[in-house]
Amino acid sequence: MKVGSSALACCYLLLQVLGLALFLRGFFPVPVRSQTRKSSSSEIPAEPSAGTASNWTQLPHPLFKRVVILLIDALRQDFVFGDKGKQHMPYITQLIEKGTTHSFIAKATAPTVTMPRIKALMTGSIPGFIDVIMNLNSPELLEDNLIWQTKQSGKRIVFYGDDTWIKLFPKHFVEFDGTTSFFVSDFTEVDHNVTRHLDDVLKRDDWDMLVLHYLGLDHIGHLTGPHSHLIGPKLYEMDLVVKKIHSALMLKDEEQSLPSLIVVCGDHGMSETGSHGGSSDEEVQTPLVLISLAFQNKAGTFKVPEIIEQTDLASTLALGLGLPIPRSNLGMLIPEVVEQKAMREQLRFFHLNGHQLLMLLKENLEAYDKDDGVEQFKKAEKSHANWIKLYLEGNTSEVLTNLGRKLLKQYLEALKKLSSSLSKQVAEYDIYSMTVGAIITLEVFFLLVLSVPGALSSKAEFSLPLASPLFSLFFYLTCLLLAAVHVIVCTSTENVCFFCSISWVMAIGIMVLISALLCIILSILGKMIMKTRPSNEKPSSSMSAWSELDILLLVGTLGHVLSMGASSFIEEEHQTWYFLVSTLCLALSQEMCRKYFLVKKRNPENATVLDHAKQEDVYINEIYDTHKKELKEEKLTILTRFIKDHEKWIALSSPGLILVCFRLLRPLNQTGIQWIHRPDFGHWLTSSEHKAELSFLVAICLVMIFVLIQGKCSLVSKVALMFGLLGVYCYRAAIGHVLYPWQQNTKEITKGITEARFVYIFVLGMLVTGIKDLLKSHIIYMDSKAKAVGLWEVYSGLILLAALLFRPHNLVVLVFCLIIQVILTMFIWKLLEFDAAQLTIMHYWFGQAFFFFQGNSNTISTVDISAGFVGLDNYVEIPAIFLTAFVTYSGPLLWSMHLLCYLSGKTSRAATSIAHGCYCYAIIRSLPVTVYILLVTALRYHLFIWSVFSPKLLYEVIHLFISAGVCVMFTAVDKNQGAKSDV
């Protein structure tokens, strides 16, 4: 069965996406949780006793009558405890300084996104890393949690804010009003919808827990960053909310036997770019302020807040409300909350917390009794029993008090060790699913490599052996063997396995696929061995055909793949790509010099050198004549005469100009991990003091974009492009990023929905026009001009979409991307005549470099989710995901589309250029993913597996999925070209 190279590449990548989906399902495990879903009061352990029976078998009395949880999304710890807090949150700062609060820095775990953090706060457990994806569609939380326990006890819960809570806890609130958390363009109404209920609910006494989740601060961070001028007013607004709640509850506490508790906290922090999801200090450190009349601290004792775990809040609130601790809780009671209580009550609280942690460890670890924390807890429990015996005997001496303090320390040390042991057991990998997914991925990669000779041949097709392997005895034996292994694994393992939980039809289908791929690989290898002929000259001649540039491209690509085995290289991957593209420019400069300055000296001993030089001169002159004709045909309108007269020197200096562009882009966006906190030129531009400079820069960039891409567009597309870019500036002005020339200051900030949709109309118009021209060229085979124009119009439409979605200062990145493409196209690639494989690898390198020039990194916090809501008045899942993915991978995507445009317009090349380019693109995308899943499997117990390696894995898998879509586009165009070549 003969298959075209591009179609073969598409099929291979799609199969690899299937394998990676299975691998991801096994790699991102289910967190540690109790096998019994819910806790009940009947399971509460009795107080330890030694000989003397204790009558305390129930939960202690609650410490607080009611609780208000004020969760401010993306509240960084320095927004409360730093200079911003002192300046913009005066009331809460005053409470802290008076000593009537307990203040802590609550440390969250990655991924620092909203839904997993709410789970951590309410269950006390550490959610799975894959929850970063589940965050887009929050399912109901079924495991034991504080909200469920509160409802079961008969208490009434009222909620206002992020509707993620309503999805996680349906039918738990007696009154609620949810707002979407994904529409990040709104940071005013989203908070007013919460605050407008406060006056009414604070007057009433028909509730026991009030949960308020404010989203405005998080939305400001996504839009303008943590140093925006909008941060201060928003913090002051939140401070007024705290003042209103505290003032109202203080009046009621005077009439009640038990005080109220106000919990001011954040679910996660905010990175220096305004996003979150990673594991930097700014993202994981959040403030936790507990305000209550029960805390009688002395004024003037303010100190640096202690760092605790975010999971500690669940057990603290549960015991504070007189509720059972959630079964899956990994946190420990905050000692300061109960320090005012009697010693017996304090010991009872810590005993309950330790018993809950012990039971959870028992369910998740077979040899739990050998754990240091378990041994220490049992010792403390025995000492506790002896202390109770002395207490019940009426001993009230100071010795008993001192013994109680020592016992508290023993309990605290035991709790820390138990919590640490549980954190280490946070998840178990599904090795079986990982293995099946890795096998499919490896088989597909081997097929890609083995198919290279045929796929990159002059016919650009490969004879795929399907009949003989699929009807062979080995195929059926392999299927039976895999089925037997599947039965053995699924019936013997005690852990939950995803691949065992799917239907038998799907499982058998995957096993048949694995067997078929293995048989095809063996069949291809057999044919290659049969055709191999012993020859000593063939290897040497093939090696001599490799140029220095080929070796650089090969070594650079393989070197980058191997570098992914080190966490430091992943964190600072941008440095690798910056080095590779800079080295590539130097290599291109060397190639240009060779073409222009050949050795022409006479050598009487060897006259062939002179003849060779003459032949090269003739060859170069022919190239330049052809190139000048192409320049005339393209009808360049900008500096045409200057380029014709100085073409040689411009061509020689073009690699240097590209290096200058790289150097100008480097300080625009700090990325990576080590230097991300340092201010960059982008921060300077986006600050409120330099709005005029940013406005001028945006206007210049939009004009440059029009000049650089309008030349190859049709008249209709040129008009659409012009109005679309004008609409981009209007959108930026509407949301307050830039100013109109007649404006002095931003008067009114809107969501810019009308302006953005205005741009979308022209984007769709250009895409539809381009696709229409492609279909026209598909029907009329001889119309090559329509195909070239159609591809360029599709590419221009994507450029316009990127201009709309990019952060305003990143338009500079887009302009430099287009400038470098023009330089490479006009003065380097056409002259040096590279083949499709070389061009594909170079485009891939430049695309990866521009991924990081844009400010992206391998941490989730740099994903600009605000781009997913441009032009939307509410959250629509599919468009939001598409726009976010597009703006994140716009660098690689735009360069791959430029490759398609360039290869389709190469009239001097064979009709197989697109097919070869598509296949090479599939290989260089499959290689890093295949190697990386092996690396993360080997390093799955590495210290940085969740903070460094796992986010990179998600980036690579999504990039491969997008690459499969790119190959589909290549295939569609390649079929057209193939049909034309047959005519």
Side-chain angles (χ1 to χ4, degrees):
M1 177 181 177
K2 292 185 178 180
V3 184
S5 299
S6 55
L8 191 65
C10 283
C11 295
Y12 283 159
L13 284 190
L14 291 175
L15 287 176
Q16 202 161 44
V17 168
L18 171 64
L20 286 171
L22 268 175
F23 180 85
L24 286 181
R25 185 58 181 81
F27 181 78
F28 292 113
V30 179
V32 165
R33 53 173 57 97
S34 174
Q35 296 174 4
T36 305
R37 290 286 181 170
K38 313 292 184 182
S39 296
S40 63
S41 300
S42 61
E43 300 173 355
I44 301 301
E47 187 179 44
S49 61
T52 304
S54 171
N55 59 357
W56 201 350
T57 59
Q58 300 299 320
L59 283 168
H61 294 293
L63 304 177
F64 311 104
K65 180 175 179 57
R66 58 178 61 185
V67 173
V68 177
I69 300 177
L70 176 59
L71 194 154
I72 304 173
D73 209 297
L75 184 66
R76 287 189 351 183
Q77 61 90 10
D78 59 322
F79 286 174
V80 175
F81 304 129
D83 294 334
K84 281 189 173 67
K86 295 178 181 179
Q87 181 180 359
H88 302 295
M89 304 190 79
Y91 188 79
I92 195 171
T93 302
Q94 182 183 6
L95 292 177
I96 294 173
E97 291 177 349
K98 281 184 176 181
T100 58
T101 65
H102 287 309
S103 303
F104 307 94
I105 295 176
K107 187 176 181 181
T109 56
T112 47
V113 291
T114 297
M115 192 266 283
R117 296 300 96 224
I118 295 175
K119 284 185 178 181
L121 288 168
M122 293 297 104
T123 64
S125 63
I126 300 177
F129 192 89
I130 200 61
D131 278 333
V132 70
I133 303 298
M134 303 283 291
N135 187 55
L136 297 173
N137 186 18
S138 308
E140 180 181 356
L141 182 61
L142 298 177
E143 63 182 295
D144 195 6
N145 60 82
L146 184 64
I147 299 294
W148 185 86
Q149 291 290 353
T150 304
K151 181 187 177 185
Q152 288 298 110
S153 67
K155 298 181 184 294
R156 297 168 62 85
I157 313 171
V158 177
F159 170 77
Y160 306 114
D162 184 359
D163 59 1
T164 302
W165 289 78
I166 302 173
K167 297 175 183 177
L168 287 173
F169 311 108
K171 301 179 181 179
H172 285 67
F173 306 116
V174 296
E175 182 180 325
F176 60 88
D177 185 12
T179 57
T180 180
S181 61
F182 293 105
F183 187 56
V184 298
S185 298
D186 175 26
F187 50 84
T188 54
E189 292 298 325
V190 74
D191 285 346
H192 291 163
N193 287 337
V194 179
T195 307
R196 64 190 175 95
H197 298 283
L198 282 182
D199 291 332
D200 177 58
V201 76
L202 291 174
K203 292 177 183 178
R204 307 193 325 246
D205 294 323
D206 59 348
W207 56 271
D208 301 285
M209 178 181 286
L210 174 62
V211 181
L212 307 172
H213 190 149
Y214 283 90
L215 293 164
L217 184 67
D218 178 66
H219 292 183
I220 291 174
H222 284 298
L223 286 172
T224 57
H227 305 291
S228 167
H229 66 285
L230 299 172
I231 293 290
K234 180 57 66 175
L235 292 177
Y236 184 70
E237 179 186 342
M238 296 296 99
D239 192 59
L240 292 178
V241 172
V242 175
K243 182 178 180 180
K244 177 181 291 188
I245 297 172
H246 186 240
S247 301
L249 293 184
M250 281 182 65
L251 294 175
K252 293 188 177 183
D253 286 350
E254 296 176 356
E255 305 172 358
Q256 298 172 351
S257 58
L258 289 177
S260 301
L261 173 66
I262 303 174
V263 180
V264 181
C265 61
D267 54 346
H268 52 75
M270 184 187 300
S271 69
E272 285 300 309
T273 60
S275 190
H276 53 87
S279 56
S280 65
D281 288 343
E282 292 81 6
E283 295 166 82
V284 302
Q285 292 186 357
T286 65
L288 175 61
V289 183
L290 306 177
I291 308 171
S292 176
L293 292 179
F295 308 143
Q296 300 297 329
N297 292 347
K298 295 181 180 179
T301 59
F302 176 74
K303 56 183 180 180
V304 177
E306 178 187 354
I307 297 179
I308 63 172
E309 295 297 325
Q310 193 181 56
T311 51
D312 294 344
L313 183 63
S315 55
T316 302
L317 290 180
L319 293 174
L321 290 172
L323 304 172
I325 301 175
R327 282 185 173 271
S328 300
N329 169 69
L330 274 64
M332 52 184 289
L333 173 67
I334 301 174
E336 288 82 355
V337 175
V338 297
E339 64 183 4
Q340 301 292 337
K341 307 301 290 184
M343 183 60 66
R344 185 184 182 187
E345 291 183 81
Q346 293 186 51
L347 293 175
R348 176 64 171 157
F349 284 130
F350 286 111
H351 175 253
L352 290 172
N353 194 183
H355 182 269
Q356 176 267 321
L357 293 175
L358 178 65
M359 291 298 100
L360 183 62
L361 187 64
K362 182 179 179 180
E363 293 181 14
N364 288 276
L365 186 64
E366 293 182 3
Y368 78 99
D369 53 339
K370 298 180 181 179
D371 187 83
D372 293 339
V374 175
E375 294 179 359
Q376 190 160 353
F377 176 74
K378 289 182 178 180
K379 291 179 182 179
E381 199 173 31
K382 291 180 180 178
S383 300
H384 189 185
N386 294 328
W387 189 93
I388 291 295
K389 181 179 179 181
L390 293 174
Y391 178 83
L392 294 177
E393 289 175 355
N395 193 334
T396 58
S397 65
E398 188 177 347
V399 175
L400 187 65
T401 304
N402 293 332
L403 287 175
R405 291 172 181 170
K406 291 181 180 179
L407 184 54
L408 283 177
K409 292 182 180 179
Q410 288 182 345
Y411 267 133
L412 284 173
E413 291 177 2
L415 291 178
K416 288 179 181 178
K417 290 184 178 180
L418 286 171
S419 180
S420 177
S421 299
L422 284 166
S423 298
K424 292 177 182 177
Q425 300 291 327
V426 133
E428 293 182 2
Y429 295 98
D430 183 355
I431 299 297
Y432 186 40
S433 300
M434 289 172 59
T435 303
V436 173
I439 290 174
I440 296 176
T441 305
L442 284 170
E443 287 181 333
V444 171
F445 177 71
F446 285 139
L447 279 174
L448 274 168
V449 175
L450 293 175
S451 305
V452 166
L456 298 184
S457 64
S458 57
K459 294 183 179 180
E461 61 182 16
F462 182 76
S463 181
L464 192 65
L466 288 180
S468 55
L470 296 182
F471 292 100
S472 64
L473 179 62
F474 180 76
F475 169 72
Y476 296 106
L477 290 176
T478 306
C479 291
L480 290 174
L481 178 62
L482 291 177
V485 171
H486 183 72
V487 172
I488 293 172
V489 172
C490 295
T491 54
S492 62
T493 182
E494 297 179 357
N495 299 324
V496 178
C497 176
F498 171 74
F499 194 60
C500 294
S501 64
I502 64 176
S503 64
W504 270 95
V505 176
M506 294 180 62
I508 291 175
I510 293 176
M511 288 184 281
V512 169
L513 174 64
I514 294 175
S515 303
L517 292 176
L518 178 61
C519 291
I520 292 172
I521 290 173
L522 294 177
S523 178
I524 295 174
L525 283 174
K527 289 183 178 180
M528 293 177 67
I529 293 173
M530 293 295 294
K531 291 181 179 180
T532 302
R533 297 179 180 178
S535 175
N536 296 327
E537 297 180 357
K538 188 175 181 180
S540 61
S541 62
S542 61
M543 288 299 296
S544 62
W546 285 68
S547 66
E548 295 175 358
L549 182 64
D550 294 330
I551 295 174
L552 171 64
L553 294 174
L554 177 64
V555 172
T557 303
L558 293 178
H560 164 258
V561 171
L562 295 177
S563 71
M564 294 192 299
S567 60
S568 299
F569 277 92
I570 294 177
E571 291 175 343
E572 307 298 320
E573 186 183 357
H574 62 286
Q575 302 287 5
T576 302
W577 288 112
Y578 294 167
F579 171 78
L580 289 177
V581 293
S582 299
T583 307
L584 176 61
C585 288
L586 295 177
L588 292 175
S589 179
Q590 181 185 18
E591 293 292 326
M592 296 294 293
C593 291
R594 283 180 176 175
K595 290 295 183 181
Y596 278 103
F597 304 110
L598 296 176
V599 179
K600 299 181 181 181
K601 295 182 179 180
R602 288 180 174 271
N603 188 352
E605 298 179 358
N606 191 359
T608 58
V609 175
L610 179 61
D611 295 338
H612 180 70
K614 289 182 179 180
Q615 293 175 2
E616 290 289 340
D617 287 341
V618 173
Y619 174 71
I620 291 175
N621 290 333
E622 290 178 355
I623 289 178
Y624 281 117
D625 291 340
T626 304
H627 188 47
K628 288 180 179 179
K629 290 180 181 178
E630 290 177 354
L631 285 174
K632 291 179 180 179
E633 291 173 358
E634 291 177 1
K635 298 180 181 179
L636 299 176
T637 58
I638 302 175
L639 302 178
T640 307
R641 182 58 57 188
F642 179 83
I643 292 175
K644 289 180 178 180
D645 295 340
H646 304 86
E647 183 179 6
K648 176 180 178 180
W649 299 109
I650 293 176
L652 285 171
S653 61
S654 56
L657 293 175
I658 296 175
L659 288 174
V660 171
C661 294
F662 288 161
R663 190 65 192 90
L664 293 174
L665 287 173
R666 287 286 294 270
L668 185 64
N669 291 301
Q670 289 286 358
T671 185
I673 300 296
Q674 294 188 9
W675 312 111
I676 189 66
H677 63 280
R678 299 187 64 178
D680 49 38
F681 190 55
H683 284 104
W684 184 87
L685 281 172
T686 54
S687 63
S688 57
E689 296 83 6
H690 305 104
K691 190 167 290 188
E693 291 87 344
L694 179 63
S695 303
F696 177 76
L697 182 64
V698 169
I700 293 297
C701 288
L702 294 176
V703 172
M704 288 292 295
I705 291 172
F706 178 78
V707 171
L708 290 169
I709 66 175
Q710 56 83 31
K712 297 181 182 179
C713 294
S714 64
L715 179 61
V716 174
S717 295
K718 287 181 181 179
V719 175
L721 179 63
M722 181 178 63
F723 281 104
L725 293 173
L726 183 62
V728 170
Y729 192 91
C730 294
Y731 167 74
R732 293 297 171 189
I735 63 176
H737 287 166
V738 299
L739 300 171
Y740 289 115
W742 56 86
Q743 256 183 316
Q744 296 297 326
N745 294 307
T746 305
K747 295 180 180 179
E748 224 178 285
I749 297 178
T750 67
K751 299 176 184 178
I753 295 176
T754 304
E755 293 82 354
R757 290 178 177 177
F758 178 78
V759 179
Y760 283 139
I761 292 173
F762 292 109
V763 171
L764 291 175
M766 295 182 70
L767 294 178
V768 169
T769 303
I771 294 173
K772 181 197 69 174
D773 290 337
L774 288 175
L775 292 175
K776 178 181 177 182
S777 65
H778 188 78
I779 297 172
I780 306 174
Y781 294 144
M782 298 304 295
D783 193 359
S784 60
K785 183 179 179 181
K787 183 183 70 173
V789 173
L791 281 174
W792 191 259
E793 286 174 337
V794 171
Y795 175 66
S796 301
L798 296 178
I799 292 289
L800 179 58
L801 180 60
L804 174 65
L805 301 179
F806 271 26
R807 292 183 181 269
H809 70 280
N810 271 340
L811 287 176
V812 177
V813 179
L814 190 58
V815 169
F816 276 114
C817 173
L818 297 175
I819 290 175
I820 292 173
Q821 288 176 355
V822 170
I823 293 175
L824 289 169
T825 302
M826 292 179 61
F827 303 110
I828 297 181
W829 288 333
K830 284 188 177 180
L831 174 66
L832 298 179
E833 290 293 326
F834 293 119
D835 57 31
Q838 293 171 320
L839 289 170
T840 302
I841 298 176
M842 282 189 277
H843 275 84
Y844 174 72
W845 280 23
F846 282 111
Q848 291 297 102
F850 273 89
F851 174 83
F852 293 102
F853 279 136
Q854 189 183 334
N856 292 316
S857 69
N858 287 322
T859 60
I860 301 173
S861 60
T862 54
V863 176
D864 182 15
I865 65 171
S866 63
F869 308 94
V870 175
L872 303 179
D873 53 5
N874 52 34
Y875 175 62
V876 186
E877 187 172 353
I878 294 178
I881 293 175
F882 169 78
L883 294 176
T884 303
F886 174 81
V887 77
T888 302
Y889 293 93
S890 58
L893 184 60
L894 292 178
W895 277 91
S896 61
M897 287 302 300
H898 183 269
L899 171 67
L900 179 59
C901 293
Y902 183 76
L903 291 178
S904 64
K906 289 169 66 65
T907 57
S908 60
R909 289 290 182 184
T912 57
S913 294
I914 295 179
H916 290 170
C918 179
Y919 199 83
C920 290
Y921 188 76
I923 289 179
I924 59 177
R925 279 305 310 137
S926 175
L927 173 63
V929 174
T930 305
V931 174
Y932 193 69
I933 63 171
L934 300 179
L935 290 174
V936 295
T937 302
L939 299 172
R940 63 187 182 276
Y941 297 112
H942 193 279
L943 180 63
F944 301 136
I945 185 63
W946 301 118
S947 59
V948 177
F949 292 101
S950 295
K952 173 63 176 175
L953 178 62
L954 287 178
Y955 271 106
E956 288 294 329
V957 172
I958 296 174
H959 193 180
L960 183 73
F961 181 77
I962 294 175
S963 300
V966 170
C967 285
V968 171
M969 185 69 181
F970 270 78
T971 304
V973 177
D974 179 44
K975 286 183 178 180
N976 177 30
Q977 193 172 17
K980 288 172 58 177
S981 64
D982 295 338
V983 173

